[in-house]
Amino acid sequence: MAKMTMVQALNLALRQEMTRDDSVVMLGEDVGPDGGVFRVTDGLFDTFGEQRVIDTPLAESAIIGMAVGMAVYGLKPVCEIQFSGFAYQNFHQLENHAARMRWRTQGRLNVPLVMRAPYGGGVRALEHHSESREAYWAHTPGLKMVIPSGPRNARALLVSAIRDPDPVIFYESKALYRALREEVPEEEETLPIGTSQLVREGGDLTLIAYGAMLQPTLEAAAELQKEGIEAAVVDLLTISPLDDTLIVQSIRQTGRAVVVHEAPRSFGPGAEIIARLMEGAFYYLEAPIERVTGYDVIIPYFSREKFYIPTVGRIIEAARSTLSQ
Amino acid sequence: MPRKQLNIARSIEYLSILDEHGNLDKDLEPDIPAEKLLELYRAMLLGRRFDERMLDLQRQGRIGTFPPIKGQEAAQLGAVFQLRPRDWMVPAFRETAAEIWRGRSLESVILYYNGFNEGTVISAKQKDMPMAVPVATQILHAVGLGYAAKYRQTNEIVMCFFGDGATSEGDFHEALNCAAVYQTPVVFVCQNNQWAISVPLKKQTHTTTIAEKSLAYNMAGIQVDGNDVLAVFNAVGEAAQRARTGGGPTLVECVTYRIMMHTTADDPSRYRSEEEVKAWEKKDPLPRFAAYLEQKEILDAGSRQKIEAEVLEQIQTAIDAVEKEMPKLGDPRDMFNHLYAELPPYLKNQQKELTRCLENGGEVKNG
């Protein structure tokens, strides 16, 4: 198996799906000859041509709005929004139409589009380029919200997202794009959307993370092990529909949990995760569940962003805090 | 370098064939068979009478809020008459007459305005989008449909309806821009009915016409008398032909008037004068077209009465059928249906929660 970065793995997923199914079309700003600002669509234009790898005018609402029409027609548009911070200009197309078409037409029409967007901080980017606002999408009935945490699951989840009959928001961590390499099989691999994964076993507490936060969470778990603390780690992979079976099961065993995300704390995904744990594992809890998150502020410019994004140290501290109670 | 003039300015054509005084431009008169003309008249009359009856029902509390179409029948039907069944129609929210022509049942319209999702079901035969309430958002869907039709080389075209207010929204401009860039087979039909709720055209746009906005995108554009069904038919026909033969999109501005309120929740007397409404009532597309047909001896007093009676009976039959059907509808658990292709576990739980609530006589119990 070849070792790939997340960018290469996503490119593989797109290339294979476009080869397999001529309904799959790409559209977005600079996705053509330029290969996308992060090069995720590199080379696809040369292989599939301008009819299928569509460089759009600079218009986010148009990208998603046109994709709604394409998807109703029977195509499977994969839209690239250059940065998630620019997706607010197409929010209304997803909320008002993509998310509702099946419901509105009682199942007659559906919108199987994917909106890919790089999200999150840690790469010293400009303002509007570092937000982690997955809660907006997860709060919208009718949408699915997927956030892979590494090259291999990114590839498998993107294939599933393209084949999914419902609209899927697919957030890709910029910090992970080239940070690590994993072996990715050339042959087809999918992961079911709506399924989380236990990525580390442990009986003392459960750390719950997703996307870019999985790596510092795993590092924290490794550090804690040096102190004799065994932390289970769950990678959510899908924020909506949230798979609460695994986390409830894990908390019933460990009695303690820390939820880690980059998004602001209030009304963030952690609040929903903890609510599910209260519903499913309240009588097993031995301490309040801790949250390690971004603060409820605009993510600062890059000189200070490292103080905003959850760190290994903050995760360890939260784990010790919950273990001490 | 000196300043100089770049030769890009173009003019906009205005089309009128049958004016409000009954004058007909015979050179421009479309060659429509008598049978088709009668179909068109019947569809316009059905649109008008159904609208009037819906207003009665709303005032009696038998349906909810709805947007009347009175005065815009020619703009809608003259345009949609040019579509083949295999073409696509993308309506806004005031295209009831056009939707009915395309095959939507009167029953489904009544159901929809009674708050039942069942009223939005589009038959498998109909290549129509459901109505779109957020203004101008649907115009982009038309471009996407057009792009897909071109990609699949099906020779289908797309007709998209919107009002004058929609032309102030960003989505209108993004849609026209993209349609021109990709040369998609889309006919944009703007029903300029002069009022976007309470805001008149002169406060909506600083341009003289809506049609001239096509110039900025380098696409064909034309303004027509939207109360002249023959002019709409011709202008949209040319646009449809252009789209079908690879000539790209067209913006057709139909100058018309919303005789009634924006929706039944609106009071237009607060923002416009009776005189203005009366002046436009004289331009009513329906008697104008009837007079034309009488002049051509396609219609007479007897056949007019007959069509009128048939239309009224069709409306009454639909109302009776829906009112009989409605008590059987309304299982609140249906709100969970069709949200996703497959209901995720957390929604199954919420559906069960509602079921328990209903079984307990409406008492809400969580967990």
Side-chain angles (χ1 to χ4, degrees), chain B residues 58-351:
Chain B
Q58 196 277 334
R59 295 310 191 218
Q60 291 164 14
R62 289 159 71 188
I63 64 165
T65 305
F66 89 103
I69 64 162
K70 187 175 181 179
Q72 298 183 215
E73 297 88 348
Q76 293 185 22
L77 288 161
V80 85
F81 238 68
Q82 292 287 8
L83 284 185
R84 303 163 301 187
R86 68 179 217 245
D87 295 325
W88 287 80
M89 184 184 81
V90 181
F93 53 85
R94 200 191 297 284
E95 280 68 48
T96 316
E99 289 178 85
I100 293 166
W101 173 253
R102 292 282 290 172
R104 186 175 179 192
S105 68
L106 303 185
E107 287 88 340
S108 83
V109 180
I110 301 166
L111 264 184
Y112 177 79
Y113 287 117
N114 261 307
F116 288 103
N117 293 45
E118 289 85 343
T120 62
V121 176
I122 299 160
S123 79
K125 286 181 292 184
Q126 249 178 292
K127 290 167 100 173
D128 295 2
M129 292 287 267
M131 55 187 272
V133 176
V135 174
T137 52
Q138 79 284 6
I139 312 177
L140 281 163
H141 308 165
V143 182
L145 286 163
Y147 190 98
K150 194 175 170 183
Y151 174 64
R152 289 295 190 207
Q153 299 181 319
T154 55
N155 196 31
E156 298 158 359
I157 67 163
V158 187
M159 186 173 292
C160 180
F161 290 93
F162 50 91
D164 40 301
T167 67
S168 303
E169 291 272 13
D171 277 1
F172 165 78
H173 298 279
E174 294 189 24
L176 264 66
N177 187 45
C178 289
V181 166
Y182 300 121
Q183 288 291 288
T184 54
V186 182
V187 181
F188 298 103
V189 180
C190 176
Q191 294 176 79
N192 171 7
N193 69 11
Q194 312 300 322
W195 291 91
I197 305 190
S198 69
V199 176
L201 186 69
K202 67 174 186 293
K203 286 190 180 171
Q204 198 65 243
T205 177
H206 194 56
T207 55
T208 313
T209 68
I210 299 287
E212 72 198 69
K213 294 175 194 290
S214 63
L215 299 176
Y217 304 103
N218 194 16
M219 73 167 69
I222 186 169
Q223 186 186 62
V224 298
D225 179 348
N227 285 8
D228 171 2
V229 73
L230 301 180
V232 176
F233 181 86
N234 268 15
V236 172
E238 284 169 17
Q241 183 62 13
R242 183 176 295 117
R244 282 190 188 111
T245 53
T250 306
L251 173 60
V252 181
E253 175 191 1
C254 301
V255 180
T256 181
Y257 195 76
R258 188 192 84 215
I259 297 285
M260 306 303 287
M261 58 292 285
H262 167 69
T263 70
T264 47
D266 165 46
D267 172 13
S269 70
R270 292 172 66 94
Y271 53 80
R272 68 184 190 186
S273 68
E274 266 302 295
E275 293 74 42
E276 181 184 301
V277 179
K278 283 200 167 71
W280 275 95
E281 277 174 343
K282 289 179 187 158
K283 301 176 185 177
D284 191 328
L286 197 60
R288 196 192 304 187
F289 188 47
Y292 167 75
L293 295 178
E294 283 176 5
Q295 207 177 0
K296 284 180 82 79
E297 297 182 348
I298 290 170
L299 196 68
D300 59 24
S303 57
R304 266 182 90 162
Q305 272 183 3
K306 185 169 171 282
I307 297 172
E308 177 94 31
E310 283 169 5
V311 160
L312 292 176
E313 195 190 329
Q314 185 184 347
I315 295 166
Q316 191 57 50
T317 305
I319 294 169
D320 293 344
V322 174
E323 291 193 335
K324 201 174 154 196
E325 184 67 20
M326 263 190 303
K328 296 178 205 161
L329 301 173
D331 184 340
R333 281 168 295 201
D334 287 350
M335 75 173 80
F336 294 95
N337 295 342
H338 307 299
L339 195 58
Y340 295 97
E342 196 182 332
L343 202 62
Y346 74 99
L347 278 179
K348 280 184 190 157
N349 289 339
Q350 291 179 20
Q351 197 175 29

Side-chain angles (χ1 to χ4, degrees), chain B residues 12-54:
Chain B
I12 285 291
E13 193 185 357
Y14 174 81
L15 180 65
S16 160
I17 297 173
L18 177 69
D19 76 10
E20 62 203 85
H21 309 295
N23 300 314
L24 176 73
D25 186 330
K26 281 200 175 293
D27 293 339
L28 294 174
E29 185 185 9
D31 184 19
I32 308 174
E35 186 194 330
K36 283 274 163 202
L37 283 170
L38 273 177
E39 263 184 75
L40 186 52
Y41 173 74
R42 193 183 193 284
M44 284 175 68
L45 188 72
L46 176 62
R48 174 67 57 93
R49 295 291 176 258
F50 185 53
D51 203 55
E52 289 167 348
R53 196 65 210 281
M54 290 281 279

Side-chain angles (χ1 to χ4, degrees), chain A residues 17 32 51 54 77 82 92 108 127 147 178 197 202 211 213 219 221 231 245 254 292:
Chain A
E17 282 306 285
Q51 296 294 312
I54 308 160
Q82 281 189 347
H92 70 294
R108 167 80 177 86
E127 191 183 355
I147 310 187
R178 292 186 167 83
Q197 283 187 338
M213 289 300 99
E219 279 179 49
T245 312
T254 62
V292 182

